[in-house]
Amino acid sequence: MRLSILLRCSAAVALAVAVPIVAAPVAKTVYGDFGVDLAARDTAVKPGDDFWAYANGNWDKATPIPADKASTGPFVLLRDNAEANVRTILDDMAKDPAKYGATGQQVGDFYASWMDVPAIEAKGAAPLKPYLAKIAAAKDRTALQTLFASVGYATPVEIGMMPGLADPTHYTAVAGQGGLGMPRDNYLLPGEKYDAFRKAYRAYIQQMLTMGGIADASAKADAIFALETAMAKDQWSPAESRDIAKLNDPEDIAGLTAKAPEFDWPLLVKTAGLEASPKVLMTQNTAIAAMGKLFAATPVSTWQDYLAFHFISDHATYLTKAFDDAHFAFYSQTLFGVPSQRERWRRGIAITNGALGEAVGQLYVQRFYPPAAERQMNELIENLRASYQERISKAPWMDEPTRKAALAKLAAFEPRIGHPTKYIDYSSFKVVRGDLLGNVMRSGEFEHQLELSRFPKPVDRSLWGMTPQTVNAYYSPLANQITFPAAILQPPFFDPNADPAVNYGAIGAVIGHEMGHGFDDQGAGFGPTGKFENWWTPTAKAQFEKRTAALAGQYDAYEPVPGTHIQGKLTLGENIGDLGGIEAAYGAYQRYLAKHGATGKIDGLTSDQRFFLAFAQAWRGKTRPDAQRQALLTDPHSPVYFRTNGVVRNVDAWYTAFNVKPGDKLYLPPAQRVHIW
């Protein structure tokens, strides 16, 4: 069973990364003549009052959110472009799978199974029957727990594997809380909006049970909703689940049994295939203990209904239009305010990428990834590394032992660019053309078995957590690596024809953000090899926590949606990455200027102004209010508006660049500006 846990990596959603720096523009860029979209600005707004609006205000007024999306912006457009590129591959495979060999046959058959709507409609709810029958046969707690630890079924306690905190070169089993159909806080927060979510969710449960042919759906929906509400009350919040030290509770079977005796831990771990693990990392231990008590107190029949509902809901997308529409109506329209479904081919690409992503990615790289980008990225990353080295070396609040350890971690930091050096072998994954739900279930089992095959071996540092066609980037604290997939290495986030100030302000800040995760409030707990260890003196740690607490306090005050604030502790790691990223990128740009010489004004803008405008325009975007509300409960990233305004007001060079003075709305006195890295 796959366990979703924050320890896997720090991923920066909507981040971009890219490539070369040139001395001067040589051709027209994607945005304007030199890389900044001047028409997007609202120059009626003072930069010191609202820098995001100054950089993006006219774009914001003129740009609607597409009906099938929760948000829009450069990241969304780049993802759309990547999907269009992947579509050309999948369409070819679906039409002539054999032309691409055995793996091409698998990919083509999988995608064609999704696109064959008449065949899906003809089957109706029949594909559910064997799985619901398996749930109906689970008439005791032993059988229930066997399903809990099996691939494809819901569970109040997830069992998986990850590199060990104490020894990241080897895997360990890990257990964590799970099993809710909504974000935890949707069950708990007061107010009409959340009352409406709860009412809609309870109705959705009944609808799924009814469509699945399960009798007495209304009463069962009441019981399932009550069960999940009780679970939510005991689960850790997303902010609490970022505390690595509290998550770090390795237990043997006896220890697990002592803390949560209601669960049959030998059965759970063996069913998950992880009985060889001497320890199980018991994350969110108090929640798991509470789930055990709830498991024992809840009738077996209610757990069966819970499993049946979640199986239907979790797989509704792979069934008929009626199931798919009901799932969309609740999860996209009600929770996120999205009016329309995405085109079916786009959703099919996402599903195929999830099942056979590296097989698709290998072809994506061959067709769409320019090899020169890798060489150019390496140069830019090393400029950022040198900037961080300089900033760490001069940080006045660090003592020498901590500084030495930080520099050792920076030196060991490993970037990975474009694509894996080796790809997953999917030959044992059985794909049956026309059996969509079966293909999805077999995909989950294939991935599970693949992970189990890796468990006894040392952790392979060449493995990737994202496919090459993914528009994103991430940092792994357990490996001290940053990864930039091929699909993100392109405009609009980087343009080889752009002014160097623009590339450093946009891409440089993004690369700096990912590097900064190694030194955020979570990453700072991991050493150069990825081991969870303390390399801080008490004095330096106190200084670090003083600064990070001040940054969290700033973000706590921001209210993107009326009645819902940013959670400073939940978003702290990403905010540290944003702040450190732009300051390191600015330092890297100063190194560039020292080597190549200063550049004059372009269209009346100084090089520093162009740098900060590029940063702000990289974070242009807008999100539907309901989607933003949900993100504020669970997403460790701040809204893009505050990823601009919340950051620049702490950067001294921004004040100078735009002559920001006391009385301007974003102005902070120097003593209140947070500087970490």
Side-chain angles (χ1 to χ4, degrees):
M1 173 170 292
R2 191 166 183 82
L3 183 69
S4 174
I5 185 171
L6 288 172
L7 294 175
R8 286 189 176 272
C9 65
S10 297
V13 176
L15 283 190
V17 255
V19 257
I21 302 302
V22 295
V26 296
K28 187 174 178 64
T29 65
V30 173
Y31 292 116
D33 291 331
F34 61 92
V36 169
D37 183 359
L38 297 178
R41 298 178 301 164
D42 183 351
T43 55
V45 177
K46 286 183 64 178
D49 285 343
D50 186 340
F51 189 61
W52 187 93
Y54 168 75
N56 301 303
N58 285 343
W59 172 89
D60 185 38
K61 296 169 189 173
T63 305
I65 299 174
D68 64 344
K69 292 179 171 63
S71 62
T72 193
F75 168 75
V76 176
L77 298 177
L78 192 55
R79 185 190 67 183
D80 285 348
N81 292 339
E83 288 175 344
N85 288 337
V86 171
R87 186 185 189 183
T88 65
I89 298 171
L90 299 191
D91 282 346
D92 286 348
M93 287 182 166
K95 291 174 185 175
D96 189 8
K99 173 180 156 185
Y100 293 88
T103 302
Q105 184 80 45
Q106 289 173 300
V107 174
D109 286 348
F110 193 99
Y111 181 59
S113 298
W114 166 263
M115 294 301 294
D116 191 353
V117 175
I120 295 169
E121 292 296 322
K123 290 182 178 180
L128 290 170
K129 289 183 179 179
Y131 305 104
L132 296 182
K134 194 171 184 179
I135 294 169
K139 297 183 180 299
D140 58 40
R141 296 187 190 278
T142 297
L144 285 174
Q145 291 179 88
T146 299
L147 289 181
F148 286 165
S150 298
V151 174
Y153 296 88
T155 174
V157 53
E158 297 182 341
I159 310 291
M161 55 177 270
M162 59 173 279
L165 292 177
D167 178 11
T169 66
H170 290 87
Y171 292 106
T172 185
V174 55
Q177 67 187 24
L180 298 180
M182 290 194 297
R184 165 190 173 271
D185 287 353
N186 280 3
Y187 297 88
L188 307 177
L189 290 175
E192 291 184 6
K193 175 62 72 171
Y194 296 101
D195 288 341
F197 288 154
R198 289 186 280 269
K199 182 179 179 180
Y201 182 54
R202 188 252 167 241
Y204 172 72
I205 297 172
Q206 181 176 339
Q207 182 182 19
M208 287 287 102
L209 293 174
T210 301
M211 294 174 66
I214 295 174
D216 200 15
S218 179
K220 291 176 179 178
D222 287 338
I224 293 167
F225 183 78
L227 171 60
E228 291 192 27
T229 301
M231 292 167 64
K233 290 177 180 177
D234 289 313
Q235 290 197 357
W236 291 17
S237 70
E240 292 170 323
S241 295
R242 294 188 69 255
D243 190 329
I244 306 297
K246 289 183 178 179
L247 293 170
N248 186 21
D249 183 10
E251 300 283 354
D252 57 18
I253 293 296
L256 292 168
T257 302
K259 290 188 174 182
E262 298 84 1
F263 288 124
D264 186 341
W265 288 103
L267 173 67
L268 289 169
V269 174
K270 183 177 181 180
T271 303
L274 296 168
E275 66 272 23
S277 184
K279 297 280 188 178
V280 176
L281 184 63
M282 192 181 189
T283 67
Q284 298 144 334
N285 49 18
T286 60
I288 293 175
M291 294 305 101
K293 292 180 173 60
L294 195 58
F295 173 63
T298 303
V300 168
S301 60
T302 301
W303 284 113
Q304 288 177 296
D305 297 333
Y306 163 89
L307 285 167
F309 156 66
H310 277 284
F311 190 89
I312 299 168
S313 177
D314 292 346
H315 299 92
T317 299
Y318 315 115
L319 300 169
T320 65
K321 186 176 186 297
F323 282 97
D324 190 22
D325 285 351
H327 185 274
F328 172 80
F330 176 69
Y331 283 106
S332 294
Q333 289 182 324
T334 299
L335 292 187
F336 289 90
V338 179
S340 303
Q341 276 271 35
R342 300 183 77 209
E343 294 171 274
R344 187 167 184 86
W345 69 266
R346 290 192 182 276
R347 295 193 291 140
I349 284 170
I351 291 165
T352 307
N353 280 337
L356 291 145
E358 289 198 10
V360 177
Q362 192 167 6
L363 289 171
Y364 178 90
V365 168
Q366 292 171 7
R367 292 194 186 186
F368 301 109
Y369 178 55
E374 194 163 319
R375 295 191 299 271
Q376 295 161 336
M377 266 292 279
N378 282 326
E379 179 181 2
L380 189 52
I381 288 171
E382 290 311 310
N383 285 340
L384 267 292
R385 191 199 300 262
S387 179
Y388 264 111
Q389 180 179 358
E390 182 178 8
R391 298 188 68 80
I392 292 171
S393 297
K394 295 180 178 179
W397 57 270
M398 294 188 80
D399 53 32
E400 289 310 310
T402 307
R403 191 188 320 277
K404 181 179 179 181
L407 291 172
K409 180 172 183 177
L410 180 67
F413 167 85
E414 179 188 358
R416 303 178 320 161
I417 303 163
H419 56 86
T421 56
K422 59 183 179 181
Y423 292 89
I424 292 172
D425 177 4
Y426 292 97
S427 59
S428 63
F429 172 25
K430 182 181 179 182
V431 178
V432 179
R433 197 177 182 99
D435 183 15
L436 179 58
L437 179 57
N439 288 337
V440 170
M441 293 296 289
R442 286 186 291 272
S443 172
E445 186 60 36
F446 167 80
E447 183 178 354
H448 178 60
Q449 293 301 323
L450 181 63
E451 289 192 345
L452 292 184
S453 72
R454 296 168 177 164
F455 184 82
K457 305 171 187 176
V459 171
D460 184 350
R461 290 177 57 87
S462 71
L463 297 175
W464 277 44
M466 287 180 179
T467 63
Q469 63 272 31
T470 302
V471 182
N472 213 322
Y474 71 93
Y475 171 77
S476 170
L478 289 162
N480 197 23
Q481 295 171 327
I482 54 169
T483 302
F484 300 98
I488 200 72
L489 306 182
Q490 56 183 310
F493 293 102
F494 169 79
D495 192 329
N497 298 316
D499 166 42
V502 172
N503 280 323
Y504 273 98
I507 295 311
V510 167
I511 296 171
H513 170 103
E514 292 301 341
M515 296 178 74
H517 276 310
F519 303 96
D520 68 18
D521 62 317
Q522 284 187 314
F526 295 83
T529 65
K531 179 181 179 180
F532 185 57
E533 59 185 345
N534 178 41
W535 45 271
W536 296 77
T537 66
T539 300
K541 188 69 170 179
Q543 288 294 322
F544 178 73
E545 290 178 347
K546 177 182 177 181
R547 284 161 173 76
T548 59
L551 188 64
Q554 287 182 10
Y555 280 81
D556 278 334
Y558 301 142
E559 188 177 4
V561 177
T564 308
H565 287 248
I566 294 176
Q567 298 180 61
K569 289 185 178 179
L570 173 61
T571 59
L572 181 56
E574 299 298 332
N575 297 335
I576 293 172
D578 285 343
L579 178 57
I582 192 173
E583 293 203 311
Y586 183 78
Y589 181 52
Q590 301 312 303
R591 294 173 66 87
Y592 172 89
L593 292 178
K595 182 177 180 180
H596 297 282
T599 57
K601 290 185 177 182
I602 300 177
D603 280 349
L605 297 170
T606 68
S607 60
D608 278 13
Q609 288 173 331
R610 302 192 303 270
F611 173 92
F612 287 107
L613 277 169
F615 171 76
Q617 291 193 345
W619 290 115
R620 85 171 41 158
K622 55 199 305 184
T623 302
R624 298 185 188 279
D626 284 338
Q628 191 67 82
R629 184 179 290 104
Q630 293 298 319
L632 289 168
L633 299 181
T634 61
D635 191 346
H637 302 84
S638 296
V640 292
Y641 179 87
F642 296 98
R643 296 187 78 166
T644 301
N645 283 355
V647 170
V648 295
R649 65 196 312 231
N650 289 295
V651 181
D652 294 339
W654 172 75
Y655 285 82
T656 302
F658 291 95
N659 195 31
V660 179
K661 300 291 186 182
D664 292 342
K665 293 177 182 178
L666 292 178
Y667 180 85
L668 284 175
Q672 294 180 23
R673 299 172 198 168
V674 177
H675 302 286
I676 302 173
W677 303 112

